[in-house]
Amino acid sequence: MDTGHPAERLVERYYDEIYVFVYRQTGHKEDAIDLTQSIFLAILQALSTYDPKKAVFRTWLYCIAANKIIDVRRQSRPVTTPLEESELPVQEDFVSRIYDRELLKRIEGYVSGLAPSLQTVFQLRLYEKQSFGEIAAALGQSEAAVKNQYYRLLGRIREEFDPDG
């Protein structure tokens, strides 16, 4: 029988998946650890405001996490270091993965300049594969509104990053 404090049980149950969510977006272990800890502090402070009528608990957690990630991106922009010619990878498959990662970073940078609710829709759908219904419930919007925002955003991203597509 689990006799731990409710806060300890909450952290034990969700820490790994929130950490993975954060890591996918930061790409750095130390940053992900620090941000995950910050997210859990925010979750514990906001716990009394959770309303099960508005969202499933897990979705509510991810909304807090997504908002914290948005806050961190607002505060600092990543610094990129150019590669020397000798450091460039030669395998095509590896090159395409790096290109995809760089494209994703550019897209994330673009999305980070948009409204926070739009950023949250993007993050929860892309990184967490949440359903439109879950996202809508968490944001207090209709499912149709969330779908509309998401698909309009995809259209804007396509125009911005793939003008020939």
Side-chain angles (χ1 to χ4, degrees), residues 146-163:
V146 169
K147 282 182 182 178
N148 187 25
Q149 290 174 41
Y150 180 74
Y151 288 117
R152 286 177 118 181
L153 174 58
L154 287 185
R156 289 167 65 183
I157 289 170
R158 190 171 290 120
E159 285 175 17
E160 183 75 22
F161 295 97
D162 187 18

Side-chain angles (χ1 to χ4, degrees), residues 35-139:
L35 188 50
T36 302
Q37 290 173 352
S38 172
I39 288 166
F40 274 96
L41 286 174
I43 288 168
L44 292 172
Q45 289 173 345
L47 205 50
S48 64
T49 66
Y50 168 66
D51 182 355
K53 294 175 194 151
K54 291 185 179 178
V56 177
F57 187 73
R58 185 173 175 276
T59 301
W60 180 78
L61 291 177
Y62 277 97
C63 279
I64 290 175
N67 287 330
K68 280 288 186 190
I69 292 166
I70 290 167
D71 291 345
V72 167
R73 284 189 177 147
R74 277 190 198 134
Q75 293 169 1
S76 66
R77 295 287 178 218
V79 178
T80 57
T81 308
L83 291 173
E84 296 298 321
E85 285 296 319
S86 61
E87 296 177 55
L88 292 175
V90 291
Q91 296 176 338
E92 268 316 299
D93 157 43
F94 184 66
V95 171
S96 67
R97 286 199 317 253
I98 286 179
Y99 176 75
D100 289 345
R101 190 177 320 143
E102 286 304 313
L103 178 60
L104 183 58
K105 282 183 182 179
R106 289 178 41 225
I107 290 170
E108 287 173 341
Y110 174 78
V111 171
S112 72
L114 303 174
S117 66
L118 202 51
Q119 292 179 51
T120 300
V121 168
F122 177 78
Q123 291 172 342
L124 292 177
R125 186 73 181 165
L126 179 69
Y127 293 111
E128 248 344 278
K129 311 279 189 262
Q130 297 246 341
S131 73
F132 289 116
E134 290 171 319
I135 297 168
L139 295 176

Side-chain angles (χ1 to χ4, degrees), residues 1-64:
M1 182 172 189
D2 187 10
T3 58
H5 189 275
E8 290 173 19
R9 290 195 310 263
L10 172 78
V11 172
E12 285 174 12
R13 180 166 182 193
Y14 293 102
Y15 185 89
D16 289 345
E17 69 180 274
I18 296 293
Y19 169 80
V20 169
F21 175 67
V22 173
Y23 181 79
R24 284 180 186 156
Q25 295 179 68
T26 64
H28 297 13
K29 182 179 178 182
E30 293 79 16
D31 292 344
I33 290 170
D34 291 345
L35 188 50
T36 302
Q37 290 173 352
S38 172
I39 288 166
F40 274 96
L41 286 174
I43 288 168
L44 292 172
Q45 289 173 345
L47 205 50
S48 64
T49 66
Y50 168 66
D51 182 355
K53 294 175 194 151
K54 291 185 179 178
V56 177
F57 187 73
R58 185 173 175 276
T59 301
W60 180 78
L61 291 177
Y62 277 97
C63 279
I64 290 175

